[in-house]
Amino acid sequence: MVILQEGECMMNEIKFDFSKIKGRIKPMHAVNNGPVHKKNNQVRSNLKYYSKAGIPYARNHDASFFAGYGGEHTVDVHAIYPNFDADPYSAESYDFTLTDIYSQMIEKAGAKVFYRLGSKIEHAAKKYGTLPPKDFKKWAIICEHIIKHLTEGWADGLHLDIEYWEIWNEPDLDPDDAVDKRTWGGTEAQFFDLYTIVATHLKQKFPHLKIGGPALAYNLEWAERFLKHISSKKVPLDFFSWHIYTDKPEKVLERAQVVHQLLNQYGYENAESILNEWNYVKDWREKFVESIETIINLKGAAFSAACMCASQDSDIDMLMYYDARPCAFNGLFDFYTLRPLKGYYPFKMFNELYRAGFQIECENNISDIYTIGAIDSDKNGYVMLTYYTDEDNQPSKVIHIQSQGLEYKKAELYLLDQVHNDEWIKTLDVSGTVEIEMEPNTVALIKFYQ
């Protein structure tokens, strides 16, 4: 990015009005899973980086894939409660040790746990945690005691501030007649019964907590049948969680609009819409390897930034990137060293706006440029701009930025590109229009000071 002199052409113009507040900045930089850090002297850790990014929430789905979190003995209900025939009211029936440690580490990083009740996805030939519980009511009681342990200190437990409790994950992923179901081994009707029983029980026991689900994989027709069923029985749904993997931020917004319409249609207009799995995926077959390569490079970082900016103006209440766990989908941290990749910095940059607190008005009609502006209680301003494109060999764009509503004395430019990692570039003259030239798949953060 190069700072230019004020020019005559004003076609690519973006206007930020710092006197017009639209509402709160939403938590669009939440993720799946927490930091990697051990309490011993092992030095490989990303705890300090994770903390600096200000990650607000960490969903613990698929945590049990990673040994560093505790592996097969962590998070999943069948791992915490290994013998389903045991007494659910007895502390001896539960194994909380590694889940406690992992949950505390998330809190140590400054994030809140978003707890997925159920099991990780299972790709192997034999299934364990994804099979329907033998007794849905008993499973609800088991979940009740997991919540009591982690939030109310039951069974020598903790007092963590865990607000969100999600029932299962992607029950729609495979149809009823599928041979090898990966996430829900029962039928659609069985899942509807499970959610009805568990959500009703947990909401009665913990009316102050948010109970929801179902972490929809993709099937909107399935979602409509689910909402119709629970609405007819007046089952609580504090949040509706759903997933999408794509290479176009606009598809995220389209899906969000349909989810919003369905929630309104079935009487859940007050339920939060939480997109708690998303990332760059071109497709799951021929271009899957290319997708993974993109996730860990600058284009993947720009895609993340674009989704965060665009989703702020949508009906989405929270975004949760999949995944901060060491895996192929982790564009934030290097698999081996745990040092930040390019994809880490949009989360850290967005956190500046999240901390500021309040979104401001922005006029932007430039294709492939995604923007968001914020202001804090001291009237300092923050602007995030992303030039994301999935097309190669695109030209740079000259952007004319106008700030109005408040007068600022100076502005500082920070940049994420091939050379810079959210680094200070220079102080800008804000006496007139600021012009910047953005290369494809770069992210800029401008801080305005009075």
Side-chain angles (χ1 to χ4, degrees):
M1 180 180 290
V2 180
I3 307 302
L4 305 176
Q5 299 299 317
E6 185 172 355
E8 296 179 356
C9 178
M10 300 297 289
M11 294 180 63
N12 285 347
E13 184 178 74
I14 300 175
K15 294 180 180 180
F16 293 95
D17 192 333
F18 290 94
S19 67
K20 295 182 179 179
I21 295 177
K22 298 180 65 176
R24 300 288 304 187
I25 298 290
K26 295 180 284 189
M28 298 302 173
H29 58 317
V31 300
N32 279 251
N33 288 304
V36 179
H37 182 82
K38 291 185 178 180
K39 293 182 179 180
N40 58 22
N41 294 324
Q42 184 173 335
V43 296
R44 194 172 70 111
S45 167
N46 63 5
L47 178 61
K48 69 175 183 179
Y49 298 116
Y50 195 104
S51 300
K52 286 183 178 179
I55 304 298
Y57 293 91
R59 179 176 181 247
N60 57 15
H61 174 61
D62 282 349
S64 58
F65 275 122
F66 181 55
Y69 296 150
E72 295 291 338
H73 307 288
T74 313
V75 172
D76 295 342
V77 172
H78 69 281
I80 293 175
Y81 194 85
N83 178 12
F84 196 82
D85 295 325
D87 179 3
Y89 296 97
S90 172
E92 285 69 30
S93 301
Y94 298 81
D95 181 359
F96 291 114
T97 303
L98 298 183
T99 300
D100 285 357
I101 293 171
Y102 177 48
S103 301
Q104 288 174 303
M105 192 58 64
I106 290 174
E107 189 176 73
K108 183 179 178 67
K112 291 183 179 182
V113 175
F114 183 108
Y115 205 105
R116 189 271 296 127
L117 295 164
S119 172
K120 68 180 181 301
I121 189 171
E122 295 186 0
H123 295 286
K126 185 176 180 179
K127 312 302 181 186
Y128 297 85
T130 57
L131 300 176
K134 291 187 291 184
D135 182 330
F136 292 174
K137 181 64 175 182
K138 183 174 182 178
W139 197 80
I141 294 170
I142 294 166
C143 292
E144 171 197 344
H145 286 79
I146 292 174
I147 296 174
K148 290 177 65 176
H149 173 83
L150 287 168
T151 68
E152 298 180 357
W154 179 77
D156 295 322
L158 308 175
H159 291 85
L160 299 180
D161 182 14
I162 306 178
E163 183 180 12
Y164 292 92
W165 295 87
E166 181 179 45
I167 299 171
W168 220 261
N169 175 74
E170 296 189 347
D172 64 305
L173 183 61
D174 299 307
D176 281 0
D177 59 356
V179 175
D180 190 30
K181 298 180 181 180
R182 294 161 287 176
T183 52
W184 173 248
T187 65
E188 176 181 298
Q190 284 178 309
F191 180 79
F192 292 179
D193 287 343
L194 175 79
Y195 184 88
T196 297
I197 292 169
V198 177
T200 301
H201 179 83
L202 295 182
K203 196 63 180 177
Q204 289 174 346
K205 296 293 183 178
F206 309 100
H208 60 292
L209 298 180
K210 295 180 179 179
I211 311 299
L216 185 82
Y218 70 94
N219 192 331
L220 293 171
E221 293 179 354
W222 187 102
E224 183 166 10
R225 293 192 295 271
F226 169 74
L227 291 170
K228 182 178 181 180
H229 174 87
I230 65 171
S231 176
S232 69
K233 296 182 178 296
K234 296 181 171 27
V235 181
L237 182 76
D238 293 319
F239 64 89
F240 183 88
S241 52
W242 52 283
H243 303 162
I244 186 171
Y245 293 87
T246 180
D247 57 353
K248 295 177 175 60
E250 291 71 24
K251 288 187 177 181
V252 174
L253 305 184
E254 291 170 4
R255 180 67 55 85
Q257 186 175 23
V258 175
V259 168
H260 178 71
Q261 292 169 348
L262 286 173
L263 291 174
N264 287 347
Q265 180 179 346
Y266 289 99
Y268 291 106
E269 59 275 359
N270 294 323
E272 295 179 39
S273 175
I274 299 179
L275 172 48
N276 63 6
E277 279 193 36
W278 64 278
N279 208 327
Y280 177 101
V281 173
K282 222 168 178 52
D283 69 47
W284 294 96
R285 296 183 183 278
E286 287 78 10
K287 295 186 178 180
F288 183 65
V289 172
E290 177 186 333
S291 299
I292 298 301
E293 291 172 337
T294 301
I295 285 172
I296 61 175
N297 68 26
L298 186 62
K299 183 190 287 186
F303 173 79
S304 294
C307 287
M308 284 186 257
C309 290
S311 296
Q312 172 67 28
D313 283 320
S314 75
D315 297 308
I316 298 172
D317 293 291
M318 189 191 318
L319 287 183
M320 309 190 83
Y321 177 89
Y322 186 94
D323 196 344
R325 168 178 58 90
C327 66
F329 288 93
N330 188 337
L332 279 67
F333 303 105
D334 179 76
F335 183 88
Y336 298 102
T337 67
L338 301 179
R339 292 172 181 157
L341 298 170
K342 292 292 183 182
Y344 164 81
Y345 295 98
F347 291 80
K348 181 172 176 286
M349 297 165 88
F350 186 88
N351 188 54
E352 296 276 2
L353 287 83
Y354 185 68
R355 290 174 57 195
F358 303 97
Q359 183 185 9
I360 59 167
E361 290 280 359
C362 172
E363 294 182 17
N364 169 33
N365 295 313
I366 309 173
S367 62
D368 298 331
I369 301 294
Y370 301 82
T371 59
I372 184 174
I375 192 169
D376 64 21
S377 57
D378 294 323
K379 304 300 183 182
N380 297 310
Y382 303 82
V383 167
M384 187 170 173
L385 303 99
T386 304
Y387 179 5
Y388 167 72
T389 175
D390 202 34
E391 303 295 329
D392 295 329
N393 302 315
Q394 294 299 296
S396 61
K397 290 178 181 283
V398 177
I399 313 297
H400 303 79
I401 300 172
Q402 286 193 359
S403 62
Q404 56 192 42
L406 294 176
E407 291 187 5
Y408 289 105
K409 295 179 180 178
K410 67 173 184 177
E412 306 287 346
L413 172 66
Y414 295 79
L415 180 62
L416 172 65
D417 63 6
Q418 290 289 5
V419 177
H420 304 94
N421 293 322
D422 183 25
E423 296 173 38
W424 179 86
I425 302 300
K426 68 177 297 182
T427 300
L428 303 175
D429 180 4
V430 294
S431 59
T433 299
V434 174
E435 298 182 357
I436 59 177
E437 183 178 4
M438 297 192 72
E439 298 295 331
N441 296 317
T442 56
V443 185
L445 177 66
I446 304 176
K447 304 177 185 181
F448 293 83
Y449 301 102
Q450 293 198 23

